[in-house]
């Protein structure tokens, strides 16, 4: 199992981190038997980083993961969980939640404790309540070993947060399709300068990069015909030295086996393979249905159609051909009145569109295509 040295912390973590957000489920609850067996297989293969959080699986993940990990020597693994900042409205909330999480996990301390899903507003709230200073006190008291944050906002917000405190680590989203998204590569460059280890989430873009259309896999299969799409995505992010842990939410034994195969005897991408991944990314982007940038100049629609969101779902479907995801988004992310079929063809949107898109025609096309799913 590939290990990475966190020089700032003086520890070695497995490059593969076991994400506990998408554990196998049975009758609506975590399948404890299968989860225990999967964690056992991962642990024996050398995985030593296990990541859960307060809301995962409706709050059940912390309970189950904490119970399963009890059978292992506490010094042989690192356990990560997160403070649910949206539940913190004063400092006492943070104190209560940390104690509650330690109780649910059945642990005396948490190795990696994160301020969960920070954005501009939640970060400033935590600062105003004195949460960061309190958690530093908890480090000194031995309840937390390392303090960091996970991030979901624009790059300028990441800059504000990363320079605010001497963080032990940070957790950001990155994959070969989202290099400039949120913190992105510029955020990783800052972490390199400051010597802050990076924990990586969404390396497979929520599973999207694990199942790609055959047409865009041609170049990758020509190099390694038997390697999964997911393995290519994981090797891409693992080839960045600043990345110390790559979180993968594994829902079944097959995903675990594939990941263990990727990270045992890990091979960074060669120059040829880097070019092949870049070509794959370009091939995916070229499959968008139209050039909507999401600028929203076309909004509001007089009849309530959410034009940019409709086009976003349509373009994602074009790129990845993920019918299940597109069906879910079109059926659940949009309400009845905001779907494309409500277009009255008034033309107001086309007059306002700086890209001069044939919006009416495209709404008609996407309504038929996504509606047929």
């Amino acid at each position: 199992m590939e290990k990475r040295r966190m020089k700032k912390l003086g520890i070695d973590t497995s490059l593969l981190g076991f994400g506990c957000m998408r554990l196998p489920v049975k009758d609506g609850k975590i399948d404890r038997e299968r989860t225990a067996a999967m964690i056992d297989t991962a642990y024996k293969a050398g995985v030593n980083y296990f990541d859960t959080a307060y809301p995962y699986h409706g709050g059940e993940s912390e309970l189950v993961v904490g119970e399963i990990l009890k059978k292992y020597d506490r010094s042989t693994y690192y356990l990560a969980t997160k403070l649910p900042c949206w539940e913190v409205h004063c400092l006492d909330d943070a104190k209560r939640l940390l104690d509650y999480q330690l109780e649910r996990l059945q642990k005396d301390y948490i190795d990696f404790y994160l301020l969960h899903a920070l954005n501009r507003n939640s970060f400033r709230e935590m600062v105003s309540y004195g949460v960061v200073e309190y958690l530093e006190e908890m480090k000194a008291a031995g309840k937390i070993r390392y303090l960091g944050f996970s991030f979901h906002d624009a790059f300028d917000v990441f800059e504000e947060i990363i320079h605010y405190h001497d963080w032990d680590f940070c957790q950001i989203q990155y994959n070969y399709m989202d290099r400039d998204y949120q913190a992105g590569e510029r955020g990783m460059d800052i972490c390199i300068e400051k010597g802050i280890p990076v924990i990586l989430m969404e390396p497979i873009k929520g599973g999207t990069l694990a199942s790609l259309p055959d047409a865009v896999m041609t170049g990758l299969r020509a190099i390694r015909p038997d390697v999964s799409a997911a393995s290519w995505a994981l090797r891409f992010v693992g080839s960045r030295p600043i990345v110390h842990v790559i979180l993968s939410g594994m829902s079944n034994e097959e995903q675990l086996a594939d990941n263990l195969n990727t990270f045992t005897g890990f091979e960074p991408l060669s120059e040829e393979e880097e070019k092949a991944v870049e070509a794959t990314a370009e091939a995916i982007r070229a499959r968008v249905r139209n050039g909507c940038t999401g600028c929203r100049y076309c909004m509001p629609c007089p009849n309530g159609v959410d034009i940019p969101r409709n086009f976003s779902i349509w373009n994602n479907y074009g790129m990845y051909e993920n019918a299940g995801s597109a069906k879910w988004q079109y059926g659940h992310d949009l309400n009845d009145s905001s779907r494309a079929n409500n277009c009255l063809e008034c033309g107001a949107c086309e007059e306002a569109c700086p890209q001069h898109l044939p919006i009416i025609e495209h709404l008609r096309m996407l309504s038929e295509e996504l509606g047929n799913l």
Side-chain angles (χ1 to χ4, degrees), residues 87-358:
E87 298 280 355
V88 177
H89 306 292
C90 64
L91 184 57
D92 283 344
D93 286 340
K95 295 178 180 180
R96 173 181 53 80
L97 285 162
L98 173 58
D99 287 341
Y100 182 49
Q101 290 176 284
L102 286 165
E103 179 185 332
R104 291 210 295 188
L105 292 165
Q106 302 180 64
K107 301 292 178 285
D108 295 326
Y109 64 90
I110 296 164
D111 298 286
F112 287 77
Y113 197 58
L114 298 83
L115 298 175
H116 197 176
L118 283 188
N119 55 37
R120 188 189 309 273
N121 292 335
S122 63
F123 170 65
R124 291 178 179 177
E125 273 193 288
M126 295 307 102
V127 169
S128 70
Y129 300 146
V131 170
V132 176
E133 290 76 12
Y134 166 71
L135 294 178
E136 281 293 338
E137 292 174 10
M138 292 301 97
K139 277 180 60 179
K143 289 188 175 184
I144 298 168
R145 293 185 68 188
Y146 311 116
L147 177 62
F149 63 92
S150 64
F151 179 75
H152 292 282
D153 208 329
F155 173 71
D156 65 308
V157 181
F158 180 80
E159 284 188 297
E160 178 182 344
I161 296 172
I162 202 72
H163 292 305
Y164 173 80
H165 182 72
D166 183 19
W167 303 101
D168 295 317
F169 67 99
C170 69
Q171 182 170 309
I172 63 174
Q173 179 173 329
Y174 181 75
N175 55 67
Y176 67 74
M177 290 300 295
D178 296 320
R179 303 185 194 191
D180 299 317
Y181 182 64
Q182 297 182 358
E185 291 184 345
R186 290 184 295 170
M188 289 199 286
D189 287 342
I190 294 175
C191 291
I192 292 172
E193 293 172 8
K194 296 175 72 69
I196 297 174
V198 170
I199 314 294
L200 207 67
M201 55 184 166
E202 300 295 344
I204 313 177
K205 196 174 172 65
T208 300
L209 301 180
S211 180
L212 295 173
D214 288 339
V216 303
M217 285 292 293
T218 305
L220 301 180
R221 286 177 177 152
I223 300 172
R224 297 194 182 214
D226 299 323
V227 171
S228 69
S231 182
W232 280 101
L234 292 168
R235 288 180 61 223
F236 172 82
V237 295
S239 298
R240 277 63 187 154
I242 190 58
V243 175
H244 291 78
V245 177
I246 300 169
L247 297 176
S248 180
M250 294 166 276
S251 303
N252 58 52
E253 294 79 2
E254 292 74 24
Q255 292 172 359
L256 172 60
D258 189 44
N259 284 353
L260 292 179
N261 185 59
T262 297
F263 288 98
T264 302
F266 179 79
E267 295 181 58
L269 294 180
S270 66
E271 183 177 349
E272 178 192 17
E273 289 173 327
E274 286 275 0
K275 290 179 180 178
V277 170
E278 178 58 39
T280 300
E282 288 302 315
I284 292 171
R285 294 188 190 99
R287 295 167 61 88
V288 296
R289 296 292 198 253
N290 73 9
C292 176
T293 64
C295 70
R296 302 190 71 82
Y297 278 87
C298 59
M299 297 296 286
C301 166
N303 207 44
V305 177
D306 188 339
I307 298 168
R309 183 59 184 144
N310 275 272
F311 284 157
S312 174
I313 295 169
W314 193 41
N315 281 327
N316 276 319
Y317 179 57
M319 287 192 290
Y320 302 108
E321 287 185 7
N322 190 326
S325 176
K327 181 178 178 179
W328 173 264
Q329 291 175 45
Y330 195 61
H332 294 270
D333 290 359
L334 294 168
N335 57 41
D336 289 341
S337 63
S338 62
R339 294 193 192 103
N341 60 289
N342 291 290
C343 174
L344 295 179
E345 303 187 4
C346 69
C349 54
E350 293 190 353
E351 291 180 12
C353 178
Q355 309 299 322
H356 306 295
L357 298 175

